[in-house]
């Protein structure tokens, strides 16, 4: 069966520090991968999606970036965090673009 | 273009009573529709999905939803609420003819279950 992992589970970082969140998927090949952010009291905002290695599209211009160094690994990064980057970050995968997505457990990021 | 509207941001029910979470969608093509549940500080879990087969869809934990094209609705129901059902619920739409990539999430409905 397929599983999706995210780490770390929680993170507290000062403003201006770098960020690296990791997501890995097991049990499937060539998945579509997604990064979402969920701010307090708000819905999900799609940040990035990827249909293959080194094929990444950004949905919202911001100081975040994403990379996919391996087929089942998706990384969310920032060189300098802002207070507004605080939130709950969710990684997801799907078989095809318009099919249901399966979510990881999330990372709670607090920027202080 | 596709979008989804969850008509209630908060719903409160007593344990053992029925649950109704309302969702309306708009879609230019044949939509796929999903309901997800999110418990506090957890990821989203797929409850059920509609992909043009039977209009009444049964999901996990006793939930079901009915696709009504004439009403452009996909309401989520459960006959008897359990305390463990308290969570955030998201209605989601996707257009299969759309060559895009993303699901379109509603803003969520917070379900409170009281003893």
């Amino acid at each position: 069966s397929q599983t999706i992992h995210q780490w770390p589970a929680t993170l507290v970082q000062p403003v201006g520090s770098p960020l690296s969140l990791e997501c890995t998927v097991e049990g499937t090949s060539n998945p579509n991968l997604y990064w979402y952010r969920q701010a307090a009291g708000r819905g999900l905002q799609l940040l990035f999606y990827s249909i293959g290695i080194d094929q990444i599209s950004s949905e919202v211009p911001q100081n975040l970036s994403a990379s996919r160094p391996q087929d089942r690994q998706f990384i969310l990064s920032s060189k300098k965090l802002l207070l507004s980057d605080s939130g709950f970050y969710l990684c997801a995968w799907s078989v095809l673009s318009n099919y249901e997505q399966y979510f990881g457990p999330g990372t709670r990021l607090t920027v202080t | 273009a596709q979008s989804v509207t969850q008509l209630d941001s908060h719903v409160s029910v007593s344990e053992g009573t029925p649950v109704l979470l309302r969702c309306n969608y708009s879609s230019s093509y044949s939509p796929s529709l999903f309901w997800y549940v999110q418990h506090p500080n957890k990821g989203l879990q797929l409850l059920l999905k509609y992909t043009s087969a039977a209009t009444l869809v049964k999901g996990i934990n006793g939930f079901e939803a009915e696709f009504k094209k004439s009403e452009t609705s996909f309401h989520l129901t459960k006959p008897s609420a359990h305390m463990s059902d308290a969570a955030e619920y998201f209605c989601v739409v996707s257009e299969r003819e759309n060559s895009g990539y993303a699901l379109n999430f509603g803003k969520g409905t917070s379900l409170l279950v009281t003893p």
Side-chain angles (χ1 to χ4, degrees):
Chain A
S1 64
Q2 300 88 2
T3 55
I4 178 169
H5 305 279
Q6 286 186 246
W7 63 89
T10 60
L11 192 59
V12 180
Q13 292 283 93
V15 168
S17 64
L19 173 73
S20 180
L21 303 181
E22 190 165 342
C23 170
T24 58
V25 181
E26 296 177 356
T28 186
S29 296
N30 197 30
N32 289 350
L33 296 172
Y34 310 83
W35 277 112
Y36 290 87
R37 177 169 58 203
Q38 188 176 30
R42 301 176 65 179
L44 274 73
Q45 178 186 37
L46 179 67
L47 302 175
F48 300 93
Y49 74 97
S50 171
I51 61 172
I53 293 176
D54 295 329
Q55 294 179 279
I56 298 169
S57 296
S58 172
E59 283 302 290
V60 182
Q62 55 210 326
N63 67 320
L64 299 173
S65 62
S67 61
R68 185 171 177 173
Q70 301 179 43
D71 179 45
R72 291 171 289 177
Q73 184 184 31
F74 205 24
I75 296 173
L76 182 69
S77 304
S78 174
K79 292 182 179 179
K80 289 185 177 181
L81 284 169
L82 306 173
L83 283 174
S84 58
D85 291 324
S86 293
F88 194 49
Y89 287 82
L90 291 159
C91 181
W93 70 273
S94 69
V95 174
L96 296 172
S97 294
N98 292 328
Y99 283 58
E100 65 269 24
Q101 295 177 13
Y102 297 94
F103 286 81
T107 294
R108 173 72 60 192
L109 172 65
T110 303
V111 182
T112 61
Chain B
Q2 54 183 349
S3 67
V4 62
T5 302
Q6 293 185 241
L7 300 171
D8 307 291
S9 59
H10 295 84
V11 170
S12 181
V13 301
S14 299
E15 188 176 21
T17 64
V19 176
L20 170 63
L21 304 183
R22 299 182 295 166
C23 173
N24 286 117
Y25 71 92
S26 66
S27 175
S28 302
Y29 303 102
S30 302
S32 292
L33 292 156
F34 313 90
W35 276 99
Y36 284 85
V37 61
Q38 184 182 30
H39 289 89
N41 293 310
K42 301 291 185 183
L44 279 72
Q45 180 183 19
L46 180 67
L47 272 179
L48 49 80
K49 62 181 178 181
Y50 165 78
T51 55
S52 81
T55 56
L56 182 62
V57 181
K58 294 186 183 299
I60 62 173
N61 301 334
F63 284 95
E64 61 182 37
E66 186 172 7
F67 173 72
K68 293 187 176 180
K69 186 175 181 179
S70 61
E71 300 177 8
T72 62
S73 69
F74 190 59
H75 301 335
L76 182 69
T77 61
K78 182 173 181 177
S80 176
H82 192 273
M83 295 297 291
S84 61
D85 294 327
E88 190 84 12
Y89 291 80
F90 293 93
C91 183
V92 184
V93 65
S94 171
E95 292 178 344
R96 279 174 288 136
E97 281 79 2
N98 183 356
S99 61
Y101 44 84
L103 303 181
N104 203 331
F105 285 78
K107 295 187 183 300
T109 298
S110 179
L111 176 64
L112 175 65
V113 182
T114 57

